[in-house]
Amino acid sequence: MSTPALSADRVRADVTELLGCEPAEIALDENLFDRGLDSVRTMSLVERWRAGGAAGLEFPDLAERPELGHWTTVLGKASA
């Protein structure tokens, strides 16, 4: 059985890669902008995830609520 391209694990791994921390260090409801993620790095995630199957993803979809749990939900819908 294959894993979806934009699984919750991949989203978490992509975010923590940019933040330079371990996946377990970020709570699902933690504000990623407070954690140090900025708009430039968020746009790089948007582009990465568009290429991974979330073609309709837009920056405001993520910026309105910069939390890992919300992003996972948004990406699940955008790549469906």
Side-chain angles (χ1 to χ4, degrees):
M1 185 172 152
S2 66
T3 303
L6 295 174
S7 67
D9 288 340
R10 174 165 173 203
V11 172
R12 181 181 286 275
D14 289 348
V15 169
T16 58
E17 175 189 333
L18 290 181
L19 290 176
C21 64
E22 294 298 316
E25 292 179 37
I26 298 180
L28 291 176
D29 61 350
E30 183 175 354
N31 185 310
L32 298 172
F33 293 161
D34 290 347
R35 187 74 136 123
L37 196 66
D38 58 26
S39 60
V40 172
R41 289 189 277 181
T42 302
M43 275 307 302
S44 73
L45 289 170
V46 169
E47 293 303 320
R48 182 185 303 190
W49 293 335
R50 282 180 184 161
L57 183 65
E58 297 292 337
F59 176 79
D61 297 333
L62 304 182
E64 70 180 335
R65 211 168 128 204
E67 300 168 356
L68 198 56
H70 175 71
W71 287 11
T72 301
T73 300
V74 168
L75 286 160
K77 292 176 185 174
S79 62

